[in-house]
Structures are given as C-alpha cells and as structure tokens.
C-alpha cells in the first residue's frame, strides 16, 4: 500500500457538486470581487469562530500583515514571534514595516514559551504573534496576562488551527485579532489563495476593510493608505461550500490522531504533546525522534509519505540568519527542527490507510538499528 502525505483531490471530489454549484453561482451573477459571496462567507466564518467580524483578504500572509497595520504597527516597531514558524509569519511582519524578533517555544508543545517571550520583549515591542503550530493552541491564558500587563496587542497566527480551542475560547478570539489562511492544504482550504482576519473590535474591523482596498472609503475616496488584498468571490463561494464540513473534518483528524497515539505507545517515537485544557485541530500530526532521518527512510520504504515541518527554524535559513542574533536562546526550536516528522493526516484517509500508517509507525518505532530507545514515552503534561 502507498499512503500519500496529502491528497487534495479526494476532498474536492467528495464536494464536487457543491463546488461546481458555488462557482456557477458566481459566474451567473457576474460579480467577482467584494460581493455577496465574500460578505456571506465573512458572516458565516465569524459566527463559526465566535468573533464579531471576519474580513476576507487574499492570503494568510496578508491577514497577518494587515492585522499588524490595523494596529498601527510599522517601521521602528518590534514584533515578537516564535522561531519555529514557517517563513510567511516573518514575511508578513516585515511587510508591515516592523522588525521580527524571535522567541523560543515550549519544549514539547512547540508553541510560544512564556519565559522566552518575556526575554524577547524590547521597549519597541508593539505586537506579539503567537503561532498555533500544527493546530495546537498556544498557552493563551498566561500569554494574554503578560500582554495585558505590558499593553502589547496580540495577533494570533491561526493559519494551522481553525476551530482549535483553549478552554471554551476558539483560536482567533483570544488575541486582539486572529489571522487565518485558506491555502488549499489548511483545515479550511480554498482552491487557490485566501485568508481572513477575525476581530470583535469594530474600529479594527473598519480599518481592515479600508486597508484591503487601497484605503478607500467610497468610490475614489481614500481616507488612509492601503493595499489590494481581497478574497475573491469564487474562492469565497467555494469556502462557503466547505465551511459546513470543517468541524467534522477536525473530528476525523482527531480520530486518526488517537489511532496514531495508541500505535506509538511504548515505541521510540514521541507522539504530539497533548494539553487537557486545549483542543487540537490536528492540521499536522508531528512525531518527534532524534532518529528522524532513519524513521523517515523506513516509512518511505513502506510507502508512507512524510514531510518535515520545519527542517530549520526561521534563523536557520540563509536569508533570515540575522534574526538569530538578538541574544535570545532558541534551542528548543532548533531541537524541534532536528526531530520533527509529519505523517499523513487528512480527513479523507481511509480506515485501511490509517491502520496501515499506524502499523508502519509501530514497526519502525520498535525495530531497526538505533531503536527502541528504552521505551521512551511522552512526558506528562499539565495545563
Ligand atoms: C500557511 C501559513 C501561513 C501563510 O498563509 P498563506 O495563506 O500561505 O499566505 C502563515 N503562518 C502559518 C503558521 C501557516 O501555516
């Protein structure tokens, strides 16, 4: 058997009639940017997340950038984010004009470490961008307390974590603004690029609506600077067709994760950290092993597709090396880059495929040169 790391054609095939209908509606209406579909999607998405407003934009990267700009973050300002995010988080901060400052992550969870964050704050810090990495919500309660104490706004990077929760709060509603991506592989994916910012602040929402459309308040009336970043009508209509399946998709992702968790018990491979107060959207199922390259090879031999998210922390890339020079210890992020391995996890995997991957994980984790490593298990976690 071969199990692909991802296969976007399956979900699209299942929803083909709804998607065709959605596209057809837009074609028949003949209105392609900032119309009924976009407005309806914004309303529906805001309701699902539990925010007052959602503002559709062209990508997740733009969502982070415009969220920062709505907060008046710009040149001369510092924005702290974590070192093991993907580069778009950094591009977005830099496009706002601000300087990204990296902090480290919790050793197991991979989300912002509070102690490291505190060390990374400077007198110029004007925003914090925690990333709900892999679909795991960050430790938002202490983070919110720290940010409130210093009066620093939070922009949550929710690109991987649609509908993940911390106690009864949904990601995107715990910061001042939440930035989402609808890149095709995300838990809610368009058939092209797309993004949205959610907020319950009326002023910020108004600013975002201006920012995404050249600062335009009425036809040829520009009351501030802005850019062009809009979620088009075709993508919005497709997202409306897919949104009702988001929750079930996340549930299926969690079911598959539970099967993998059980298979990894007592093996040399560590399952993703779990935190009782936080639900996981399982955008990715990421195992940890110091023996990563061997494990990846053996899974490939068994036909199981894997990827590494991410093989380097931000400051490990030649183009971003200088971001590691701020004097903040980033060793947890660096260790993650050496140990993480993502295995297939998407709602359309068949039960047979899930069983096959689980058996392959178990076999590779308990046999072969270098393993098992004294039956290591994930450390107990509270929170
Ligand atoms: C996908 C992603 C982004 C960027 O989203 P795009 O829609 O591709 O611009 C930003 N941050 C994280 C953590 C992501 O996974």
């Amino acid at each position: 058997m071969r199990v692909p790391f991802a296969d976007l054609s399956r979900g699209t095939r299942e929803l083909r009639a709804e998607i065709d209908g959605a596209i057809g509606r837009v074609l028949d209406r003949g209105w392609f940017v900032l119309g009924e579909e976009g407005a309806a999607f914004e309303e529906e998405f805001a309701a699902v997340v539990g925010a007052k407003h959602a503002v559709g934009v062209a990508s997740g990267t733009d969502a982070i950038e415009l969220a920062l700009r709505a907060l008046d973050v710009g040149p001369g300002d510092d924005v702290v984010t974590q070192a093991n995010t993907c580069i778009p988080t950094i591009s977005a901060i830099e496009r706002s004009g601000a300087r990204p400052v990296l902090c480290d992550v919790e050793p197991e969870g991979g989300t912002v470490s509070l102690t490291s964050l505190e060390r990374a704050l400077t007198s110029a810090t004007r925003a914090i961008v925690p990333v709900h990495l892999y679909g795991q919500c960050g430790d938002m309660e202490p983070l919110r307390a720290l940010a409130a104490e210093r009066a620093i706004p939070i922009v949550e990077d929710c690109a991987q974590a649609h509908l993940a929760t911390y106690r009864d709060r949904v990601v995107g509603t715990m910061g001042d603004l939440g930035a989402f991506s609808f890149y095709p592989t995300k838990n809610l994916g368009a058939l092209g690029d797309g993004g949205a910012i959610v907020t319950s602040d009326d002023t910020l929402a108004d600013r975002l609506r201006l920012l995404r459309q050249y600062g335009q308040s009425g036809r040829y009336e520009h009351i501030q600077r802005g850019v062009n970043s809009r979620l088009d009508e075709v993508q919005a209509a497709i997202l409306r067709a897919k949104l009702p399946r988001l929750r079930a998709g996340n549930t299926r992702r969690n079911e598959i994760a539970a099967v993998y968790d059980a298979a990894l018990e007592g093996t040399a491979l560590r399952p993703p950290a779990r935190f009782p107060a936080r639900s996981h959207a399982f955008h990715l199922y990421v195992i940890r092993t110091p023996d990563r390259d061997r494990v990846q090879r053996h899974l490939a031999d068994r036909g199981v597709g894997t990827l590494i998210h991410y093989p380097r922390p931000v400051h490990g890339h030649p183009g971003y090396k200088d971001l590691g020079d701020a004097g903040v210890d980033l060793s947890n992020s660096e260790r993650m880059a050496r140990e993480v391995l993502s295995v297939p996890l998407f709602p359309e995997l068949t039960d047979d495929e899930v069983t096959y991957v689980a058996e392959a994980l178990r076999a590779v984790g308990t046999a072969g040169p270098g393993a098992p490593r004294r039956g290591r298990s994930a450390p107990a976690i509270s929170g």
Side-chain angles (χ1 to χ4, degrees):
M1 189 182 292
R2 304 199 73 76
V3 184
F5 180 75
D7 180 357
L8 293 177
S9 69
R10 297 188 193 181
T12 311
R13 207 174 301 126
E14 279 176 23
L15 269 182
R16 183 60 193 260
E18 286 95 324
I19 291 170
D20 281 345
I23 295 172
R25 242 181 11 247
V26 176
L27 299 188
D28 289 343
R29 203 180 286 127
W31 187 281
F32 300 108
V33 171
L34 294 183
E36 281 176 42
E37 300 292 337
F41 173 71
E42 288 177 343
E43 207 164 288
E44 290 158 11
F45 189 66
V48 163
V49 172
K52 196 161 164 196
H53 307 279
V55 179
V57 294
S59 71
T61 311
D62 282 9
I64 300 168
E65 178 198 340
L66 296 191
L68 291 170
R69 291 173 67 132
L71 291 166
D72 261 330
V73 172
D77 297 338
D78 284 353
V79 174
V80 182
T81 192
Q82 60 201 61
N84 63 339
T85 185
C86 55
I87 295 297
T89 314
I90 307 298
S91 318
I93 294 169
E94 291 190 328
R95 267 203 343 211
S96 78
R99 179 178 78 121
V101 175
L102 300 179
C103 72
D104 209 5
V105 292
E106 297 168 325
E108 286 300 316
T111 51
V112 165
S113 148
L114 264 290
T115 37
S116 178
L117 171 65
E118 250 186 303
R119 281 189 205 119
L121 295 176
T122 67
S123 56
T125 307
R126 294 288 173 269
I128 302 166
V129 181
V131 181
H132 302 304
L133 196 72
Y134 309 147
Q136 170 79 74
C137 183
D139 197 4
M140 291 305 286
E141 254 167 43
L143 198 154
R144 275 156 57 91
L146 175 69
E149 196 180 290
R150 313 275 184 116
I152 303 171
I154 298 173
V155 173
E156 300 176 65
D157 182 341
C158 307
Q160 303 188 353
H162 308 71
L163 303 191
T165 58
Y166 189 108
R167 303 195 200 284
D168 54 349
R169 305 281 295 262
V170 181
V171 299
T173 65
M174 289 173 274
D176 298 78
L177 301 131
F180 287 85
S181 165
F182 306 123
Y183 183 76
T185 58
K186 310 286 176 167
N187 289 30
L188 178 62
L191 302 184
D193 276 311
I197 304 121
V198 300
T199 183
S200 290
D201 183 313
D202 297 342
T203 310
L204 291 176
D206 286 346
R207 261 191 226 155
L208 287 166
R209 294 201 171 94
L210 293 170
L211 275 169
R212 72 171 170 187
Q213 160 103 316
Y214 335 109
Q216 179 170 284
S217 61
R219 191 176 286 263
Y220 306 126
E221 181 165 352
H222 301 260
I223 60 171
Q224 63 173 62
R225 301 291 224 278
V227 300
N228 171 0
S229 182
R230 299 168 301 214
L231 178 67
D232 68 69
E233 288 287 283
V234 169
Q235 297 306 335
I238 292 166
L239 287 166
R240 291 185 71 200
K242 295 180 88 175
L243 183 60
R245 301 268 189 109
L246 173 58
R247 212 174 284 280
N250 280 0
T251 303
R252 171 74 178 154
R253 287 172 184 271
N254 272 272
E255 279 167 15
I256 298 168
V259 174
Y260 293 168
D261 280 354
L264 291 176
E265 243 179 77
T267 74
L269 312 176
R270 272 139 64 205
R274 303 300 201 98
F275 303 87
R278 318 185 209 167
S279 77
H280 204 311
F282 275 110
H283 174 57
L284 295 168
Y285 189 92
V286 179
I287 62 170
R288 297 275 295 267
T289 167
D291 212 11
R292 193 252 315 278
D293 296 346
R294 183 189 70 86
V295 170
Q296 184 170 37
R297 249 190 341 267
H298 282 229
L299 289 172
D301 290 345
R302 288 163 186 269
V304 175
T306 57
L307 285 175
I308 297 170
H309 299 89
Y310 300 93
R312 301 167 186 222
V314 169
H315 60 289
H317 293 275
Y320 292 87
K321 220 168 71 191
D322 54 304
L323 295 184
D325 298 339
V328 181
D329 175 50
L330 302 170
S331 50
N332 289 338
S333 303
E334 289 157 6
R335 189 170 325 111
M336 279 189 76
R338 292 192 298 270
E339 295 186 352
V340 291
L341 184 65
S342 311
V343 303
L345 177 69
F346 52 96
E348 299 82 15
L349 280 175
T350 65
D351 289 346
D352 285 349
E353 287 173 323
V354 173
T355 306
Y356 184 80
V357 174
E359 280 167 3
L361 283 171
R362 186 148 191 90
V364 174
T366 51
R373 290 168 186 265
R374 272 172 276 120
R376 247 201 246 201
S377 57
I381 280 148
S382 60

